[in-house]
Amino acid sequence: MESPQYGDKWARPWLDAARYADSHGFQRDDLHEIWAYRDWVIRALNEDMPFDQFTIEQLAGDLLPTPTESQLIATGFNRCAPCNVEAGTDPEENRFNQIVDRVNTLGYAWLGTSLECAQCHDHKYDPFSQKDYYGLFAFFNQTELEADRTNPKVPGSIKFKGPYMAIKDDTTQLQEVELESKIAAAKTRLASATKRLSKPNSASPPKVAQQIVLKIADFESVNGASHEVLEDNSILLHEDAPDTDTYVVTVALEATKPTGILLDVLTHPSLPGNGPGRGDAKRPNFVLHEFEVYALDSSGQPKSDKIKLVDAVADFSQNNFLPEKAVDGDDKTGWAINPEFFKNHWAAYRFADPGSLEGVTHLQLRLVQNFGGARTIGRFKLSALVGDYSKAMPANQVEDPRLAKLREQLEGLEKQRAKVEKPKTLVMREIEQPRMSTMFSRGDYRNPTEKVEPHTPKILHPYQADSTNNRLSLAKWLVSPENPLVARVIANRMWGEVFGTGLVSTPEDFGLKGEAPSHPELLDWLAADFVENGWSQKKLLRLMLTSRTYRQSSKMTAEQLERDPNNVSLARGPRFRLPAELIRDNALAISGLISLKQFGPPIRPPQPDGLWKKVGGQNYDYQVSPGEQQYRRGVYVVLKRMSPYPSFITFDASARLACRVKRGRSNTPLQALTLLNDPVYVEAAEALAGRIQKDRPKGTIDEQLRYAFQLAVARTPEEREVSALKSLFQLEMDAHASDTKPEASAWFAVASTLMNLDETITKE
Amino acid sequence: MNQPLFAHNRRGFLNRSGLSLGLAGLGTLLHQSQSNGDSALKAHAGHFAPRAKSVIYLHMIGAPSQLDLFEPKPELNKRDNEVCPDSLLDGRKFAFIGGEMRLSGSRFKFSQHGQSGHYFSENLPHLAKVADELCFVRSLHTEEINHAPAQIFLHSGFGRGGRPSFGSWVTYGLGSENEDLPAYVVLLSGPPGGAGSSLYSSGFLPSVHQGVQFRSEGDSVLYLSNPKGHSSESRRRVLDTLGALNQSHLSDVGDPEIATRISQYEMSYRMQTSVPELMDLKDESEDTLKLYGAKPGKASFANNCLLARRLVERGVRMIELYDSDWDMHNNIAKRLPTKCADIDQATAGLITDLKQRGLLNETLIIWGSEFGRTPLAQGIDGTGNKTSPGRDHHKDAFTVWLAGGGIRGGVSYGKTDEFGFGVAENPVHVHDLNATVLHLLGLDHERLTYKYQGREFRLTDVAGTVMHDWIG
């Protein structure tokens, strides 16, 4: 209990209740940063923070007088509510749903009560009215919007806003200061070199040639970006920029005898940093990898051969990213404009054989842009060039290689700085102008009805509205000594974690529809003891662990099973399968691979390729965490709600889409496949095989087997168990007799068997 | 809880001994033993005789346009590109469209097929040939207007996550007929829907009811293959030893959970044979492959349809196919024919094949999506010039069809108004659809409950009416 790992283990049930996860949920399931809250829970448990304080800081840390950073981080509890930022979502609906989630979570986590029915109507079984529901709702109704329209004029646009709080961090601060000064120096060097070396930027296209704007007949973004055609016949992309994209544009060719084609790349106020690229407000670059032009045949189909383009020229090109790279047939090279962002640019190409365009009425153009990171064009216009403009070509300005070198240095430093960017975390923040709170007819956010003041359910102990009447008042009410529920609910849940089932077997429902406590006096006594001991969770736990009830043998006789299969009478000790995270922790510990490093951003253990791919949201490259990071405990494993770590879900972990105070404990063939074949467990078995030989190099097979058995299940094996393992060892040795190291295979088989024992993954 | 409140001293607690909790009656714990992974999946009878044994659910992720596939609207075509009168928009909500709204007729030709005279657009020539097998529901409506919540709503009867999927409810209600394969199998063509794996999550039901994705790449079931360099014989020896040790411990501590674990390890071993055997299409005749347009070794909707039939043959209860890329906010004219080509022949092939093999009458096929699409155009520029119109999300009226397993083929149920904005006749809510599907499987949606969070949860929440008109 005094070890730092106490928090790693005991945070898990609370994080289930808090529905802590590292992503928003729903379609745009982007990752967000809130791991500091997870660390806060671990630390608070390790310090045995009294449960009343633990409650107040999480529900209302931000409303305490001069809150500390830690108290603000704690408010992440309520920021764990899923947030729907799928394009097309109404920000107000999302805000409403998040509050609903917060009220429901409060009900399950503290009151052991399902309040959610009362969102739409008075509770059917328990004495909660719809008005009580919206009384609680009102306490949560005063925080900032977490997702809002990107552009108020564009319906359907929405983006995640935060609010985030930067977290102090000494090591990164130092690095930051150092890099900042290097960056400043690099910027000065680049600026003075630019002054010295750059030529004036002539953004005027070929002067003599006649330009005829090509009318857009059709446009398609292959990756589904939406667009509009502006009055000047330019195409403006909006909404979610896909990572990479290809634009397929059909235009009417109304020019006679065109000699070339002009691509104008344009800025627009709706683009990040005004564009012209789409990916980044600071560096709105694009890379046009291929610019292909096809003639359409009479049936409207593009002909198979590209129209050949030559004599590329652009007003400006990034070093090594020249306009001719966009017509070289190589989709790894292209035209780009770094560092000349925030300006219009153009590139022009001459038709190698203008005669081939005779009779062509429509062209199809394909703009292939596969750099990634949405380095795609935000707005562009196409024109035909007519007449001989070859003589009128302006100078083809290219970034000076000396400047490019300085720029690359600066970019390198900026990248480094971005990596050490201050950690941040999601927190609750009240708005300045309070919103009016109301009831909602049938729980529909579009149908507000009568006004409601923040208040607590009438049936519970009285609530004294104070002058603030805010979340802090609610939190204090919740843990006031008069509350009959909270201490029981928490004691019961802890009992459930220790004994497998709570004294009230429905920890989420102490109401009329829940189960009656099997030992009501015991529950009352535990709750009273909990409060008298200053709400100390460690003391409560110690009380349970040192009890005679807990220390009973978990063996069960046929007669007991018949009479009391679920051990309601507590006539034997608990025996139940470990939760998902502990199964992995345990395997890593047995094998010696485990890293007990604590805290910080989530880690990524190996998982099969492609699991994070799905419709909508940012694309993430799932990279396994380097070195010992991947062997850290399960509580630190990244949780992406719509694609959670499969080996945890298989063992009944929650995807944390909603508050969960009790996990199932199923027993399935997928669990067997996971423990036998998931590379994580295979590696652990291999490591255990190695560990046995390393730790007991001189032992007899029997001694080695005993040692391994002890490692796996923490008891000495019976003779029959040793002999079963020994015969497996021998069979494997025989089967691999011709191998160079048969014992490696034999020990792997033994290790794998031990890791898969029911007893290994069961607490008894 | 309606008791006088009390002070926090021990005597107070003891005196009150639980009364303060306001608990009524003694619940029995017996019906919720810890996991029962084994028995939970044993086939068990439903509430009454079923009409269908298995379900093949074809979900088109993103929402196909009913107005360009099954619902010709002459009036809408006539008034194509007209500004939509406000009277038609009253009270409706759209995800993206704003500003001036224009009506948008279909670019596709429709014709009637079969005895039933069901309409199909030119995009679905193969499906049109099995018109009389299909029961069209033209008046479905839902509560959610964005993909992920609507997908979750369709599957779990609730617009946010955490509740069991439709398929999980079915296996919870009926168990499995096959001891070598999971009871609920998911097949994907294209990336998963916006709601990801939560669409086939077992929610608060035991994870034995979770949908298991059979993948076309890598291991068909996660972690199915033995680790590299370890033979099947070696695995068998490990399992034998493991079984013996678990058995020995079982006789020692007596926990029946260990017996379940032993049988689950044996099933995992059988799956190592049964799953690859299932996924391998090499025994399918040339004619069958042609019927679906399936190509062995390729990942496609057509292959998945054929796999669905193979799963049905093996007694798998619940099969769901997801096909992505139906979210056409722009350029329906070009994109819809491409997508239809992916599914048309395969879907018709599946129905034909099941029928030929005498399986159609016990296999329920459902084709649909999370919602439909608007009669309004999306993707037009400021001057009203069409570049490539698409349609927005539409939750108020859309189409699904059902076939096989107890369904009356040829039925057309429900009507929408002349534009397709709203339901004109016989509205059907998602809960009604789900209630009917459960009914066909022999399950009473009001009695198929699971107690959690103080409530008897149902797939259909507190609603749902069985649609007897669809049933033959």
Side-chain angles (χ1 to χ4, degrees), chain A residues 86 481 529 665-666 669 732, chain B residues 8 10 35 147 207 237 264:
Chain A
E86 177 182 337
D529 201 75
R665 242 176 255 129
S666 64
E732 289 299 307
Chain B
H8 245 298
R10 183 158 297 177
S35 74
H147 296 291
S207 68
R237 288 190 290 270
Q264 298 305 314

Side-chain angles (χ1 to χ4, degrees), chain A residues 249-444:
Chain A
V249 197
T250 307
V251 295
L253 184 61
E254 282 160 354
T256 44
K257 299 206 173 161
T259 48
I261 195 152
L262 175 71
L263 168 67
D264 280 298
V265 177
L266 306 168
T267 58
H268 191 272
S270 71
L271 297 170
N274 289 333
R278 304 193 68 193
D280 179 348
K282 283 187 194 151
R283 324 189 67 80
N285 202 359
F286 60 85
V287 184
L288 178 63
H289 285 94
E290 283 304 298
F291 181 65
E292 299 169 353
V293 183
Y294 299 88
L296 296 189
D297 63 22
S298 50
S299 67
Q301 292 303 310
K303 293 181 182 168
S304 56
D305 288 334
K306 275 187 280 195
I307 294 174
K308 197 164 181 233
L309 302 175
V310 293
D311 294 345
V313 56
D315 71 310
F316 181 82
S317 311
Q318 181 177 332
N319 191 35
N320 289 329
F321 288 80
L322 301 170
E324 52 264 40
K325 304 274 190 187
V327 293
D328 60 358
D330 179 350
D331 65 6
K332 299 210 166 49
T333 62
W335 177 48
I337 50 115
N338 192 341
E340 294 292 323
F341 314 120
F342 326 117
K343 296 175 192 164
N344 295 339
H345 292 285
W346 59 264
Y349 300 90
R350 194 166 64 75
F351 296 126
D353 176 15
S356 68
L357 285 156
E358 211 137 309
V360 171
T361 61
H362 286 82
L363 296 175
Q364 187 185 79
L365 299 99
R366 298 175 62 87
L367 284 70
V368 181
Q369 303 156 84
N370 53 23
F371 187 82
R375 292 306 189 263
T376 51
I377 297 171
R379 181 184 165 211
F380 67 97
K381 188 168 75 172
L382 294 156
S383 311
L385 295 170
V386 180
D388 179 11
Y389 70 90
S390 57
K391 290 173 202 141
M393 283 291 192
N396 197 357
Q397 197 185 329
V398 180
E399 186 186 17
D400 188 297
R402 287 165 291 182
L403 288 178
K405 203 175 156 195
L406 289 172
R407 172 178 58 75
E408 279 158 16
Q409 279 175 2
L410 174 61
E411 281 170 5
L413 289 167
E414 282 175 337
K415 254 186 207 159
Q416 279 183 44
R417 190 191 173 291
K419 275 189 194 152
V420 294
E421 217 171 1
K422 266 191 200 141
K424 55 188 181 180
T425 195
L426 295 170
V427 291
M428 292 288 266
R429 199 180 284 161
E430 298 277 286
I431 45 171
E432 305 222 327
Q433 273 303 318
R435 293 185 186 91
M436 189 181 83
S437 296
T438 65
M439 310 249 294
F440 290 87
S441 168
R442 276 174 298 127
D444 188 330

Side-chain angles (χ1 to χ4, degrees), chain A residues 206-267:
Chain A
K207 278 177 205 142
V208 185
Q210 191 193 346
Q211 287 178 40
I212 297 161
V213 176
L214 296 168
K215 286 239 175 77
I216 309 296
D218 186 27
F219 175 84
E220 187 186 347
S221 140
V222 166
N223 285 332
S226 56
H227 75 288
E228 71 186 293
V229 180
L230 303 183
E231 276 182 23
D232 66 350
N233 241 311
S234 64
I235 289 176
L236 174 66
L237 280 294
H238 39 65
E239 272 317 290
D240 293 342
D243 207 40
T244 65
D245 210 344
T246 293
Y247 303 153
V248 183
V249 197
T250 307
V251 295
L253 184 61
E254 282 160 354
T256 44
K257 299 206 173 161
T259 48
I261 195 152
L262 175 71
L263 168 67
D264 280 298
V265 177
L266 306 168
T267 58

